[in-house]
């Protein structure tokens, strides 16, 4: 098996999700999130700040029609110096742009989730709503392909003048993602053509050639979107543009300095860490700055490393990956340890209560991991993908799919969230929606596209990365092979894989052995050739009608952090399979800081119902320290403890039973 | 002994400080801080941002002379909407105001420290410098008594229009403090008259009468200053103005709302907590907002409670005191647990690394404590005064007197101060000076006036609050009594008190028994009547030539915090006498979080030289946890420890040996 074997994404249409947990999540997105989001985009959610997203497209379309009708018509010019414009009187709106300047992208994220959902659950009514929305959006496109309502409504002469802050290329990226997804799902190309025309317009204005702006996005995503557009269309111009964004980034003199006429650029290197634009990407060794932007960039870099077989880019991705997962990631997969700049903090600085750990950043880590897996079939990437999915990602949404976390702390004291401004980014309960609504739609598009994460393939191999229940059909030159996975993941370690083939060609099935599941067992598979490589068990044979079973150990594990993570010294966490556990006040009473684990105790499991979902809780005997509420400071007394039962629930399910304390790391 | 016995401040001129530690500190202020500060006020410190303080007075004086010379001359008008104006080109200054808008107060703090220093150390040259400075300042006074260069240079029509933010009344307060001190020290009244005229001008413009502004200071201090001015002059108008500031505060509708034309005052109650103006002061039960402002206000309240024999005001002071010392104070006496608003956090939220604990706030607690002691002779106030002095206050200045802490954390990791913006208010080493230079001059005036804190007196009683070496002469109707204290405080618990009298009148000496020193011993005093009350041992006799000795226990004490202080759970601190100890990297190596105390160990002491000072260090056998630097997260392993010697040094002396980790609270 050579390093250069390439795997590719499977077609989502070829996979059908049957997994209990993930199917339920997909259905929540279909039944609750997507309809709610559509109402939000159309300002129809009572008591919520209007989005103005679809309204902006309508206004931009109206200006277009006005121009068409009355040649020589010049629309009024509104200011473009504010990132966010909310109307003073919402009952009397002017025909101008309202909302965050990246508001257009909310439509793009919605249409992307709709597309994936339609692949699993065809729905002609939803498709019609989507088609109508696409009409509105396309009507807002300018004659030269430009499509960003913030500038087309406000002042077209200012477009492309603030790539650092004003998110035009971010909107382009999301538009491409949504358009490609909708085309792949429905075969309809109207939005795809609009996205291509916008990309063409950007390429006309930005690039290496003289007379063009030599810029790149302040908020990355266009890179991976252009890679995807290139893969779909085969158009070299999109590959070129995406790669230009990657290669131009961080070059000196900084484009952002030029763009903003910065006179004294001495602080720019530090400042542009926020945008990962402080160094050429190939020279970047540490993950820095805004965590979502960072992993979006790294995802794009991984795409182009693969598409261009660019080894230096691949090595940069590997270094940045390593820096994150070995020094800057929470146990839950959360990244971004500080809310200041929503950014990575320094190595091993992973405070539990003040964590940022944005849901979108965990989703971005899944993007990055999936792309690294396409570059190299190493289970370490899938291990993180799984950690993110079952912990830092799913925690972003309530079990009813109606409320969301932007921030995913590992410890919460509700009083501190309310009273301590240093913790006011941390919410003790999920919120209905957000002014800056990036996380809920991002969750929607991730969950609905989960099929893309379960497996990858090459001509003769199928890699199984996640043991989620599903049925995958691999078409071969002659005939096909159907792989069915049944599992009780993440609660039960038994996995049953059934493979039916009507071909004489041998096929390799590569089974990921999770880092936590090295002591697995597998039933005999007659006639299969097997070998192990980088965390995968490769089984090769001509499959006809085979069934085999894997059993992964589901013992409760106590986990320590590296001793350089200061806040976790003397503390341990509980995991079981891929699931990170936490304690909640609902089960353990108040003052979780008074609890101690008993390292020698038996850690049992029991079924527990939270909301409509049944999951596995962990329980063990531990200790509760007696309170010493004498005076604020008093002579030391040996601590006294009483025995008590400690109960842990899956981290992703926390805050589904009202407000209360929560902690992942507990003293032992 | 009745509740209503009143004590009063002693005359600082009647006390001579002989104490080894405090005398050294006073000499540092005399020899180093005051001269440095004078250079700073005159923009003569190389490599430091100029203060512009004295320059502003000169400019204002010049405008005055110009007006006088050319009647009808209208000075140019500069904007007053910025709290801080620094020149773009420091080599070509316009004749306008520069610096923070409260820059005038830097002179006032300096002259106050100079005054106290002259009382202990007469110095004709320094006095001449001070007299010349006073000439400059007084030349800047307006015909109606107004004296604030920010407005008199920029735009006199705007004065008194922003009492919330613009610190005019803060400048008034400091001017009064400095002027009274200088008068008391030198008998010269030029500055005192200027301060009275400014106070008269304020009283003309602000007060209950129609046509006046019904406002009060955004940053308190004028209250206690006016009380002091009233006590010196006996002028009822100053008592009235100070009490008006206190009683008007927090009334609805809020003056600050009116002043700022706030349309929607719904958030004002919360917002004005910062200024302690959210409620009438008598209704305030919790210490909130900016910690320095708070304790300055409470000090003024305590003054007026005493001067007006106002019981409801006294009770408010007692409640606020109790809230601070039993719920919101660090072990070091530091207050202000959050840098956001330099404010109190909620009860028991006392994070160690992100502490604010401003030096000025600890000084303010000494102001408050001293005034509470005048209201009621209860040693609990002196206990806190002592805790502040030897810990949170002295820590503000380096052992050489050349650098200063604004923020006094209880734990420091230098890497975090540098890289984590949430901790960038915390400095791992003292700074030369500050743009907003409140702490160094505040330290200077506190240390030089320490005589006011050591004792208080009434007709027939002298209370000894601090066992600092000193000689105090009490003049009686007939004859006098000289009390000499010799002590090794804070290192040695032996106190020798010698009393010589030439009077037949009995005098009561009240000796404070510190909360940590209840197991004291006292040598026999022939013929003395003794009783105990609220932490004082009262000894009454006709003193002739008596000598007695007190011995306070100086065993090392391990201290716990209330279990509601989450960050200190499972941790203890070390104290000895009044001194709080800390561990430093210089003695204990890096990674202080890996260290554990052994509760059963013997805690020894040894002399230790830090800089030029000899102090008592504490040492004991403890443990160092072995590092587990395997992977970021790994299977739990029982922690392994090796024995190691732990060394603690006095907290106030930390960061005198370069940059390194420091912690007060250690795991046990």
């Amino acid at each position: 098996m050579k390093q250069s074997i390439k795997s590719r994404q499977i077609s989502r249409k070829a996979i059908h999700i049957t997994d209990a947990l993930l199917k339920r999540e997909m259905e929540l997105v279909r039944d609750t999130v997507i309809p709610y989001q559509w109402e939000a985009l159309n300002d129809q959610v009572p008591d919520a700040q209007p989005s103005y997203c679809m309204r902006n497209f309508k206004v931009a379309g109206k200006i277009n029609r006005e121009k068409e009708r009355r040649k020589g018509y010049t629309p009024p010019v509104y200011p473009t110096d504010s990132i966010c414009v909310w109307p003073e009187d919402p009952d009397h709106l002017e025909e101008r742009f309202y909302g965050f300047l990246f508001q257009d992208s909310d439509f793009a994220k919605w249409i992307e989730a709709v597309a994936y959902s339609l692949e699993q659950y065809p729905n002609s009514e939803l498709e019609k709503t989507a088609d109508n929305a696409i009409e509105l959006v396309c009507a807002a496109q300018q004659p030269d392909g430009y499509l960003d309502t913030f500038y087309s409504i406000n002042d077209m002469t200012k477009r492309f003048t603030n790539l650092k802050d004003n998110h035009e290329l971010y909107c382009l990226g999301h538009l491409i993602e949504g358009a490609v997804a909708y085309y792949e799902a429905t075969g309809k190309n109207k939005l795809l053509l609009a996205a291509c025309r916008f990309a063409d317009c950007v390429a006309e204005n930005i690039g290496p050639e003289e007379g063009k702006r030599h810029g790149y996005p302040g908020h990355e995503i266009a890179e991976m979107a252009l890679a995807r557009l290139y893969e779909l269309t085969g158009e070299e111009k999109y590959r070129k543009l995406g790669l230009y964004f990657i290669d131009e980034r961080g070059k000196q003199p900084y484009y952002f300095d030029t763009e903003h006429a910065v006179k004294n650029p001495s602080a720019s290197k530090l400042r542009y860490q926020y945008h990962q634009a402080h160094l050429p990407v190939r020279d970047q060794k540490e993950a820095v700055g805004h965590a979502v932007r960072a992993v979006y960039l790294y995802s794009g870099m991984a795409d182009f490393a693969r598409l261009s077989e660019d080894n230096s880019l691949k090595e940069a991705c590997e270094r940045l990956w390593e820096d994150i997962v070995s020094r800057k990631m929470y146990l839950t997969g959360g990244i971004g340890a500080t809310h200041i700049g929503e950014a990575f903090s320094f190595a091993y600085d992973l405070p539990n209560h003040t964590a940022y750990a944005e849901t979108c950043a965990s989703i971005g880590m899944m993007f990055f991991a999936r792309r690294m897996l396409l570059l190299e079939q190493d289970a370490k990437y899938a291990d993180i993908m799984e950690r993110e999915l079952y912990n830092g990602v799913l925690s972003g949404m309530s079990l009813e799919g109606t409320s969301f976390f932007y921030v995913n702390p590992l410890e919460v004291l509700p009083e501190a969230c309310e009273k301590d401004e240093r913790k006011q980014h941390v919410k003790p309960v999920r919120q209905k929606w957000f002014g800056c609504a990036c996380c809920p739609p991002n969750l929607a598009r991730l969950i609905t596209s989960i099929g893309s994460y379960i497996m990858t393939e090459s001509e003769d191999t199928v890699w199984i990365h996640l043991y989620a229940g599903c049925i995958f059909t691999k078409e071969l030159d002659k005939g096909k092979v159907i792989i069915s996975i049944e599992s009780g993941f993440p609660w039960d370690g038994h996995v049953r894989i059934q493979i039916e083939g009507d071909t004489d060609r041998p096929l390799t099935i590569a089974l990921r052995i999770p880092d936590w599941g090295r002591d697995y067992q597998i039933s005999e598979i007659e006639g299969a050739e097997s070998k192990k490589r980088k965390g995968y068990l490769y089984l090769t044979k001509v499959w006809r009608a085979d069934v085999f079973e894997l059993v992964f150990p589901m013992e409760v594990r106590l986990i320590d952090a590296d001793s350089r993570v200061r806040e976790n010294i003397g503390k341990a966490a509980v995991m079981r399979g891929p699931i990170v556990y936490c304690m909640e006040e609902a089960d353990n009473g108040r003052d979780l800081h008074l609890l101690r684990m008993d390292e020698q105790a038996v850690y049992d499991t029991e079924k527990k119902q939270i909301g409509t979902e049944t999951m596995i809780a962990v329980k063990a005997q531990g200790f509760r320290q007696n309170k010493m509420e004498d005076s604020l400071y008093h002579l030391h007394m040996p601590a006294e403890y009483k025995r008590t039962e400690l109960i842990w629930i899956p981290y992703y399910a926390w805050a589904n039973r009202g407000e209360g304390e929560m902690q992942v790391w507990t003293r032992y």
Side-chain angles (χ1 to χ4, degrees), chain A:
Chain A
M1 191 155 312
K2 281 179 297 173
Q3 182 85 20
S4 62
I5 276 194
K6 278 187 187 165
S7 68
R8 58 172 188 255
Q9 195 181 307
I10 59 167
S11 160
R12 276 180 312 278
K13 286 185 164 176
I15 192 167
H16 179 66
I17 309 296
T18 58
D19 187 78
L21 175 60
L22 297 178
K23 189 164 183 239
R24 200 185 53 78
E25 297 284 334
M26 288 177 94
E27 288 171 359
L28 280 180
V29 170
R30 177 194 65 184
D31 298 340
T32 303
V33 183
I34 287 174
Y36 186 92
Q37 199 176 346
W38 179 240
E39 285 179 20
L41 295 181
N42 287 282
D43 316 330
Q44 285 164 4
V45 177
D47 305 326
Q49 197 175 39
S51 149
Y52 300 111
C53 173
M54 295 312 295
R55 188 185 184 283
N56 288 332
F57 284 115
K58 288 179 203 160
V59 170
K62 191 176 165 195
I63 292 172
N64 273 359
R65 287 193 299 280
E66 200 66 29
K67 277 194 200 155
E68 191 56 33
R69 201 160 57 86
R70 296 192 279 150
K71 301 282 184 192
Y73 168 83
T74 315
V77 171
Y78 297 103
T80 58
D81 55 358
S82 170
I83 191 170
C84 165
V85 186
W86 301 101
E88 289 196 8
D89 179 0
D91 291 334
H92 295 91
L93 295 178
E94 286 181 276
E95 294 289 301
R96 58 178 293 193
F97 181 92
Y98 291 114
F100 285 99
L101 51 75
F102 45 80
Q103 217 70 324
D104 286 8
S105 65
D106 279 6
F107 157 78
K109 292 174 199 167
W110 175 77
I111 200 79
E112 189 180 345
V114 167
Y116 302 141
S117 186
L118 289 174
E119 286 176 339
Q120 291 287 318
Y121 307 104
N123 176 334
S124 60
E125 200 181 331
L126 176 60
E127 193 168 328
K128 198 168 159 192
T129 303
D131 288 339
N132 289 337
I134 288 168
E135 291 293 330
L136 279 176
V137 168
C138 292
Q141 190 157 40
Q142 300 301 301
D144 70 348
Y146 186 81
L147 183 42
D148 182 307
T149 67
F150 176 74
Y151 282 106
S152 67
I153 294 174
N154 285 344
D155 186 354
M156 280 285 277
T157 67
K158 294 276 173 54
R159 66 183 195 170
F160 302 130
T161 58
N162 187 353
L163 299 184
K164 176 161 87 55
D165 307 314
N166 280 5
H167 285 62
E168 279 160 300
L169 302 179
Y170 173 82
C171 288
L172 168 70
H174 269 299
L175 183 66
I176 292 172
E177 294 275 356
V180 172
Y182 199 72
Y183 170 76
E184 287 175 344
T186 64
K188 294 175 183 169
N189 70 358
K190 175 150 191 165
L191 192 64
L192 180 63
L193 291 176
C196 288
R197 285 184 61 215
F198 187 16
D200 296 342
C201 167
V202 167
E204 281 294 311
N205 285 275
I206 302 173
E209 296 83 3
E210 206 166 328
K212 294 186 183 177
R213 297 176 197 272
H214 307 316
Y216 41 85
H219 192 316
E220 302 93 327
I221 186 179
E223 299 80 359
M224 59 175 151
L226 286 162
R228 189 172 180 184
L229 191 59
Y230 164 68
E231 290 198 83
L232 177 71
T233 63
E235 289 277 5
E236 178 63 15
K237 59 186 173 184
Y238 301 132
R239 196 187 72 85
K240 223 177 102 191
L241 184 61
L243 198 53
Y244 178 75
F245 286 158
I246 283 176
D247 282 332
E248 196 62 20
R249 194 167 208 86
K251 280 190 188 166
Q252 300 240 23
Y254 292 120
Y255 177 75
F256 293 157
D257 274 351
T258 316
E259 180 181 70
H260 284 78
V262 172
K263 279 176 195 157
N264 177 6
S266 62
S268 293
K269 188 167 178 181
L270 192 63
R271 189 184 317 127
Y272 298 146
Q273 285 195 358
Y274 173 81
H275 307 268
Q276 300 77 44
H278 56 304
L279 284 173
V281 299
R282 285 173 175 77
D283 298 336
Q284 295 187 21
K285 293 180 175 64
E286 287 186 56
V288 294
H290 189 281
V292 174
R293 299 183 194 219
V295 287
Y296 279 20
L297 169 66
Y298 308 155
S299 298
M301 285 163 62
D303 279 334
F304 282 100
R306 176 174 52 85
L307 293 174
S308 308
E309 303 196 29
D310 181 333
N311 211 47
S312 71
L313 205 50
K314 177 168 179 274
E315 284 168 6
C317 291
E318 288 165 347
R319 278 195 306 268
L320 293 163
W321 174 273
E322 192 57 25
D323 187 50
I324 295 173
V325 303
S326 68
R327 286 182 280 276
K328 296 177 178 170
M329 187 185 71
Y330 287 97
L331 184 64
T332 55
I335 55 171
T338 174
H339 65 288
I340 300 178
E342 310 183 311
F344 289 106
S345 188
F346 62 95
Y348 305 105
D349 184 41
L350 293 161
N352 293 313
H353 198 326
T354 55
Y356 203 70
E358 187 179 337
T359 305
C360 287
S362 279
I363 291 169
M365 269 301 276
M366 287 189 68
F367 296 166
F368 188 20
R370 179 159 74 80
R371 285 159 173 84
M372 292 309 287
L373 273 177
L374 294 179
L375 266 175
E376 185 179 4
Q377 294 77 42
D378 187 328
K380 70 181 182 182
Y381 299 117
D383 286 339
I384 296 294
M385 206 163 73
E386 184 187 62
R387 182 186 292 267
E388 298 289 353
L389 174 63
Y390 287 116
N391 303 290
V393 170
L394 285 189
S395 67
M397 188 162 83
S398 70
L399 297 176
E400 290 86 28
T402 53
S403 57
F404 303 90
F405 276 134
Y406 202 107
V407 165
N408 295 278
L410 276 78
E411 183 174 314
V412 160
L413 174 67
E415 185 181 17
C417 302
E418 183 199 340
K419 295 181 179 171
D420 182 355
E421 282 187 62
R422 291 167 296 194
K423 292 171 181 161
Q424 282 187 353
H425 59 289
V426 178
K427 304 295 174 201
V429 289
R430 291 176 184 78
Q431 312 289 297
K432 289 292 285 177
W433 204 255
F434 305 92
C436 173
C438 55
C439 298
N442 233 347
L443 265 166
R445 67 192 187 111
L446 186 280
I447 289 169
T448 48
S449 65
I450 196 68
S452 302
Y453 297 81
I454 295 173
M455 299 180 189
T456 52
E457 64 177 343
S458 68
E459 275 310 296
D460 56 7
T461 306
V462 173
W463 285 266
I464 298 177
H465 306 299
L466 299 177
Y467 291 102
C470 64
I471 301 165
F472 172 61
T473 304
K474 182 170 176 67
E475 302 284 350
L476 299 167
D477 302 344
K478 287 181 187 169
K480 63 186 176 206
V481 173
I482 299 174
I483 303 170
S484 304
I485 305 178
E486 282 174 46
S487 93
F489 264 47
W491 312 121
D492 181 334
H494 289 75
V495 179
R496 182 177 177 276
I497 297 179
Q498 181 176 339
I499 306 181
E500 290 169 273
D502 61 359
T503 168
D504 291 335
R505 262 191 55 184
L507 182 73
T508 302
I509 307 289
L511 301 166
R512 168 178 157 255
I513 309 306
D515 53 353
W516 52 266
R518 301 260 160 83
D519 295 334
Y520 70 101
Q521 293 178 313
I522 186 165
S523 62
E524 176 139 2
I525 305 157
E526 210 176 320
E529 208 179 291
S530 94
K531 57 176 141 186
K532 288 186 186 174
R533 188 170 178 280
K534 295 199 173 181
Y536 289 89
L537 174 66
Y538 289 84
L539 301 170
T540 306
K541 69 172 280 190
V542 176
W543 303 90
R544 293 286 186 190
D546 296 273
V547 176
F548 61 92
E549 219 181 63
L550 281 155
V551 184
F552 293 106
M554 282 283 177
E555 281 84 35
V556 173
R557 310 192 304 285
L558 302 194
I559 304 291
D560 288 343
D562 184 298
S563 60
R564 285 167 288 194
V565 182
R566 291 179 175 245
E567 205 167 322
N568 295 345
I569 200 77
K571 295 178 180 174
V574 168
M575 287 189 75
R576 181 175 177 274
I579 295 283
V580 174
Y581 280 78
C582 70
M583 286 205 262
E584 277 202 306
E585 183 178 327
D587 304 303
N588 298 284
R590 302 188 69 156
D591 294 324
L592 298 182
H593 68 295
L594 295 178
L595 299 177
R596 289 184 71 162
M597 294 166 68
D598 180 350
E599 302 164 82
Q600 308 303 327
V602 176
Y603 286 78
D604 266 337
T605 59
E606 66 177 9
K607 282 195 177 169
K608 192 174 182 82
Q609 184 87 12
I610 298 185
T612 56
E613 203 180 332
T614 305
M615 52 191 78
I616 299 291
V618 172
K619 60 179 183 174
Q621 282 295 309
F623 310 98
R624 176 176 278 273
Q625 187 169 337
N626 291 339
K627 290 186 186 183
M628 282 295 290
E629 301 183 351
D630 178 4
S631 62
L632 185 52
Y633 303 108
H634 48 259
L635 273 183
H636 173 68
M637 301 268 286
E640 288 173 12
Y641 299 92
K642 55 170 181 279
R643 284 230 153 244
T644 187
E645 186 178 64
L646 305 179
I647 297 174
W648 286 262
I649 65 155
Y651 171 77
Y652 81 81
W654 83 277
N656 275 285
R657 296 173 293 174
E659 192 174 296
E661 294 178 30
M662 182 276 288
Q663 73 183 19
V664 170
W665 293 95
T666 300
R667 288 191 298 148
Y668 55 77

